[in-house]
Amino acid sequence: MSNIIDIVAQVCGTAKPSHDSKKNETKMSYLERTYYGVLAVTVACFGWYFIDVFASTDLATADIREFTSRIWIMFGIYVVLVIVMAIATHVFDADAEDEFDERDSQIDMYAERICSYFQATALFGILILVMYQFNAFVVAHVMLAAIVFTTILGLAVRLYLYRRGV
Amino acid sequence: MVKPTSITNNIRTLRFMAGEMTQAELAEKVGLTRQTIIAIEQGRYSPSLEAAFKIAQTLGVGLEEVFQYSPQAPKQ
């Protein structure tokens, strides 16, 4: 439980400086806190969308055109939330280091490589859906789910590698 | 949870011997972030050869005094 509180305090930039050198050394970087924030925003925003859509829609007869405006609004909200979250993370920690070095590049590379396997699999799955003439609503939402899933996976892998090491 | 590594280092000791240099100072001098210096000290990241040479040069010692390679080394 205290670990979760520590993570939340660090993400918010409100963690108190500790005299314990080990604790100070594990302070999150700006990038790491940003990834936690984007992960939370992604899960909340798209989680809400998928629950809302699938709870109130009959997949067999759904028409994608009815969801166009909702999808654009959701993307708009997502982009605004990510920008606000990134600015807030920076504002709440004036000492934040936002530089990007070789370790960040390496972590990025690993995460992107793992995501690329899932993207390729998802593309193949979508191709099958199109070949079997599933309706546009299903195809569009499988695409959206694939994008969301690879985004979440990429962020989770980055956060894991920052803690575990590369 | 920390990935085991075969490369160990004495950066922490050498920093203190180099006028109690802080992690932030070392990071700035070698062009890395403080988090990366922390990760290297804790054995969670093995730096590139160029970064390793820069660290040794900044600490005023040879590369082998900073980094040691031992395949059976316990994780830090």
Side-chain angles (χ1 to χ4, degrees):
Chain A
M1 183 66 183
S2 65
N3 281 345
I4 295 169
I5 293 169
D6 282 349
I7 287 173
V8 171
Q10 288 198 30
V11 170
C12 299
T14 55
K16 289 178 184 168
S18 165
H19 294 295
D20 180 349
S21 63
K22 283 280 178 195
K23 278 193 176 176
N24 276 335
E25 283 172 355
T26 54
K27 189 187 175 205
M28 283 182 201
S29 68
Y30 169 71
L31 267 177
E32 217 178 332
R33 283 204 307 275
T34 305
Y35 290 147
Y36 269 110
V38 175
L39 183 63
V41 168
T42 306
V43 170
C45 203
F46 289 97
W48 162 78
Y49 174 79
F50 279 110
I51 290 169
D52 186 43
V53 167
F54 286 102
S56 60
T57 310
D58 176 11
L59 297 183
T61 58
D63 186 350
I64 188 67
R65 284 171 295 189
E66 291 170 18
F67 293 88
T68 310
S69 60
R70 210 188 301 188
I71 291 173
W72 282 119
I73 289 168
M74 185 201 46
F75 272 121
I77 291 170
Y78 178 68
V79 170
V80 169
L81 280 178
V82 167
I83 292 169
V84 167
M85 190 277 315
I87 292 169
T89 308
H90 213 34
V91 167
F92 285 121
D93 188 358
D95 300 328
E97 278 184 300
D98 55 1
E99 291 161 5
F100 197 84
D101 67 8
E102 59 175 49
R103 177 168 159 260
D104 301 304
S105 304
Q106 205 172 333
I107 286 173
D108 247 14
M109 235 163 40
Y110 275 119
E112 289 301 322
R113 193 179 67 192
I114 290 168
C115 285
S116 71
Y117 300 140
F118 285 91
Q119 278 167 345
T121 309
L123 275 178
F124 187 68
I126 291 162
L127 180 67
I128 290 171
L129 291 179
V130 172
M131 284 193 300
Y132 283 94
Q133 297 183 333
F134 275 78
N135 72 29
F137 174 85
V138 173
V139 173
H141 281 82
V142 170
M143 270 187 200
L144 186 60
I147 293 168
V148 172
F149 179 74
T150 49
T151 303
I152 290 171
L153 180 71
L155 292 165
V157 169
R158 281 175 178 86
L159 290 170
Y160 175 68
L161 290 176
Y162 271 113
R163 291 288 121 183
R164 175 182 171 262
V166 280
Chain B
M1 182 168 166
V2 176
K3 184 187 173 190
T5 175
S6 300
I7 297 173
T8 57
N9 68 78
N10 302 317
I11 295 176
R12 189 187 298 250
T13 310
L14 291 167
R15 275 196 299 111
F16 281 97
M17 287 166 66
E20 296 195 11
M21 187 187 290
T22 63
Q23 290 166 333
E25 286 167 349
L26 178 61
E28 195 182 337
K29 284 177 182 168
V30 299
L32 298 173
T33 61
R34 197 174 71 89
Q35 273 72 28
T36 298
I37 295 294
I38 291 165
I40 295 169
E41 282 190 5
Q42 293 177 344
R44 286 189 289 121
Y45 175 66
S46 299
S48 67
L49 199 53
E50 189 180 352
F53 272 110
K54 280 183 185 171
I55 290 168
Q57 194 178 45
T58 305
L59 294 170
V61 293
L63 190 62
E64 288 197 356
E65 281 186 66
V66 186
F67 297 98
Q68 297 80 41
Y69 177 71
S70 45
Q72 302 292 321
K75 66 182 179 184
Q76 287 189 340

